[in-house]
Structure formats: C-alpha cells, structure tokens
Amino acid sequence: MIAHWYVYLTIAIVSAFLQWICDKFKIIKSKPLRFFVVIFVSVFICWVIYDIILGTE
C-alpha cells in the first residue's frame, strides 16, 4: 500500500482549523469532547473529500 501522506496532512490541517473555530466561538465547552468531535468531524470531512476526488480513478 502506498503511503498517502497528503491525506494525513490534510486531516491535520482541517483538524487544526476546526479546533481554532471551536476555541474562538466557544462552540463546545468541554475540552475532551471538543477534541473528540473535531477529530471525528475532520476525519469524516477528509474521507468524503478523498472519496469524491480520488475515488473516481
């Protein structure tokens, strides 16, 4: 299996952006819950984008 490093980098960037948004607007008060939600949402977003863009090969 070829290592798709750009997928991991994209997940990290999306996670950092979502974490920044949650911190700025105080969307989720609990820090552990906020980390869990941010990781789950960012992985789901990147999975959908990866499937749409690269899944058509």
Side-chain angles (χ1 to χ4, degrees), residues 6-7 9 11-12 20-21 24-25 27-29 31 33 35 49-51:
Y6 50 87
V7 175
L9 183 65
I11 291 171
W20 177 73
I21 289 173
K24 183 174 182 177
F25 295 112
I27 294 172
I28 301 172
K29 302 287 184 189
K31 198 168 189 173
L33 180 63
F35 281 126
I49 291 171
Y50 180 81
D51 193 39

Side-chain angles (χ1 to χ4, degrees), residues 35-54:
F35 281 126
F36 178 74
V37 169
V38 164
I39 290 171
F40 181 74
V41 169
S42 62
V43 168
F44 184 74
I45 288 171
C46 292
W47 175 66
V48 169
I49 291 171
Y50 180 81
D51 193 39
I52 289 172
I53 293 173
L54 297 176

Side-chain angles (χ1 to χ4, degrees), residues 13-30:
I13 291 170
V14 171
S15 297
F17 184 68
L18 287 175
Q19 184 69 27
W20 177 73
I21 289 173
C22 287
D23 284 342
K24 183 174 182 177
F25 295 112
K26 304 288 186 209
I27 294 172
I28 301 172
K29 302 287 184 189
S30 172

